[in-house]
Amino acid sequence: RKEEELDSKDAIILHQFSRPRNGVPSLSPFCLKMETYLRMADLPYQNYFDGKLSPQGKMPWIEYNHKKVSGTEFIIDFLEEKLGVNLNKHLGPHERAVSRAVTRMVEEHLYWTLAYCQWVENLHETQKMVSLFGPFSDLLKWIFCHLTKGIVKREMYGHGIGRFTEEEMYTLMEKDMRTLAGLLGDKKYIMGPYVSTVDATVFGHLAQAMWTLPGTRPERLIKGELINLAMYCERIRRKFWPEWHHDDDNTLYESEESSEASKIYSPLRDFSFYSRTETFDEEGNSISQTPDTDYTGHSLFDSDVDIDEYRDHEQYK
């Protein structure tokens, strides 16, 4: 695409990796976390997939009023200060402390075991999802994926978790996922009935296990024994990503009230200006409405999925 001159005056420009081929918004849990957070906070933003890292070598990063901020935690702090948003205002001191502890466990521990599964053990499948175009796209994808594999293994070794055997790493991964499942229990979100910042973090990582790691141990675990985590991911996907659809979706997930509306999907857009209330085309014309909440605060995409029915469906598949 021809490069566009970006003007971040009073606009959030989100720089992140390109959309993968399998319909998932991102293969990066941090990019998916950041974009999900913006949707949860109902902050309009524009995606920009230029592949350029931040000055600190980070992805994702944002521009707002010509200021560049990288690191998802610092981005969220910046937006809270500048725009007055706060997904954690309903949390008490103890809940905020638990939320931060969970975030650190997910981003500093679970992340590495999922990255190992994605970029080392399951590299062949991941390579199919990477989106690169051009006459040498297959060669470029092979080079990119194998370079990433080497980087992940080196960084995991430096972290320390990469010094364990594969079986030991997966044991640690399973403990983290079981911890999340126990913490979630039968609640709607991690910290209770209302969404908070930690949900963007947890969803960004668990979504990789749900939709980008076919046939792997994390996928079998989340869709099997830890089914409440799968329901949690589906709940967030349907509420905050109504246009995110998979060909293998089944009407099992449709509520009676929204089955017709939720069968209408639009593809994930590249350079669109996105907000939860309106989506605009490249000329700025309104093209759709995303009816995800009404004035009572109830989501039209928020129906809970029956656990037993889902388990039966997975066995049938």
Side-chain angles (χ1 to χ4, degrees):
R1 289 176 179 266
K2 183 179 179 181
E3 284 195 22
E4 301 174 357
E5 195 70 30
L6 293 180
D7 183 6
S8 64
K9 186 178 185 304
D10 298 326
I12 300 171
I13 309 297
L14 176 62
H15 296 260
Q16 61 168 313
F17 297 114
S18 299
R19 302 287 195 208
R21 291 177 177 271
N22 65 335
V24 175
S26 181
L27 294 177
S28 163
F30 293 99
C31 289
L32 182 53
K33 166 194 174 177
M34 195 66 248
E35 192 168 1
T36 301
Y37 171 85
L38 291 171
R39 292 177 176 226
M40 288 177 171
D42 202 10
L43 294 175
Y45 64 94
Q46 182 178 357
N47 275 316
Y48 201 66
F49 303 104
D50 55 355
K52 182 180 179 181
L53 300 178
S54 72
Q56 294 82 13
K58 292 285 190 177
M59 190 75 91
W61 56 286
I62 69 162
E63 292 180 83
Y64 181 77
N65 282 338
H66 307 291
K67 182 174 177 59
K68 300 177 181 180
V69 186
S70 66
T72 56
E73 184 172 356
F74 292 116
I75 293 173
I76 291 172
D77 290 344
F78 173 81
L79 294 176
E80 287 182 350
E81 178 184 351
K82 295 295 182 181
L83 302 178
V85 297
N86 189 350
L87 294 181
N88 298 331
K89 60 185 177 182
H90 61 283
L91 301 180
H94 175 74
E95 293 171 313
R96 289 171 185 261
V98 172
S99 176
R100 180 165 179 78
V102 171
T103 298
R104 295 279 68 80
M105 179 192 75
V106 170
E107 294 187 345
E108 303 295 340
H109 202 258
L110 177 62
Y111 163 74
W112 291 109
T113 55
L114 292 176
Y116 176 85
C117 187
Q118 187 175 50
W119 294 103
V120 180
E121 185 195 14
N122 209 44
L123 183 64
H124 180 69
E125 291 297 324
T126 302
Q127 185 174 326
K128 297 177 184 177
M129 303 177 195
V130 172
S131 179
L132 289 175
F133 301 96
F136 303 106
S137 59
D138 289 340
L139 175 61
L140 290 175
K141 284 197 296 183
W142 187 92
I143 294 173
F144 168 77
C145 289
H146 282 78
L147 283 175
T148 304
K149 174 182 177 179
I151 292 171
V152 168
K153 292 181 70 174
R154 184 174 69 248
E155 292 188 349
M156 289 182 68
Y157 190 85
H159 176 280
I161 197 170
R163 305 183 187 214
F164 298 114
T165 66
E166 181 177 293
E167 187 60 34
E168 289 171 331
M169 283 190 286
Y170 278 126
T171 298
L172 296 175
M173 178 207 70
E174 183 172 333
K175 287 182 177 181
D176 288 344
M177 292 181 66
R178 289 186 183 279
T179 298
L180 290 174
L183 180 63
L184 177 64
D186 58 358
K187 299 193 300 293
K188 193 172 185 179
Y189 300 112
I190 294 294
M191 301 309 299
Y194 304 108
V195 71
S196 58
T197 303
V198 70
D199 291 299
T201 302
V202 174
F203 175 75
H205 288 74
L206 290 183
Q208 307 305 316
M210 275 284 290
W211 293 295
T212 73
L213 299 173
T216 62
R217 291 173 65 171
E219 187 202 47
R220 292 195 299 270
L221 190 61
I222 196 172
K223 292 183 177 180
E225 189 176 349
L226 305 182
I227 197 67
N228 65 328
L229 294 181
M231 301 301 98
Y232 167 80
C233 289
E234 278 289 349
R235 191 175 301 126
I236 292 179
R237 188 187 78 157
R238 289 200 171 271
K239 181 168 184 178
F240 298 104
W241 291 90
E243 79 276 31
W244 173 0
H245 175 59
H246 284 262
D247 292 336
D248 60 352
D249 277 352
N250 190 282
T251 53
L252 168 71
Y253 303 120
E254 307 289 352
S255 66
E256 294 180 1
E257 295 83 359
S258 62
S259 59
E260 292 302 318
S262 58
K263 288 178 183 177
I264 303 174
Y265 297 92
S266 59
L268 296 173
R269 296 175 60 79
D270 286 351
F271 285 80
S272 65
F273 183 76
Y274 178 86
S275 75
R276 284 177 55 197
T277 53
E278 281 191 303
T279 299
F280 299 89
D281 62 17
E282 294 179 353
E283 288 70 40
N285 301 312
S286 178
I287 59 174
S288 68
Q289 300 285 328
T290 48
D292 76 337
T293 56
D294 59 24
Y295 292 109
T296 66
H298 294 94
S299 170
L300 302 180
F301 297 89
D302 201 28
S303 58
D304 290 341
V305 183
D306 183 81
I307 290 179
D308 292 331
E309 188 177 3
Y310 180 85
R311 186 178 287 114
D312 293 341
H313 171 68
E314 285 299 310
Q315 291 175 351
Y316 174 76
K317 288 167 62 179

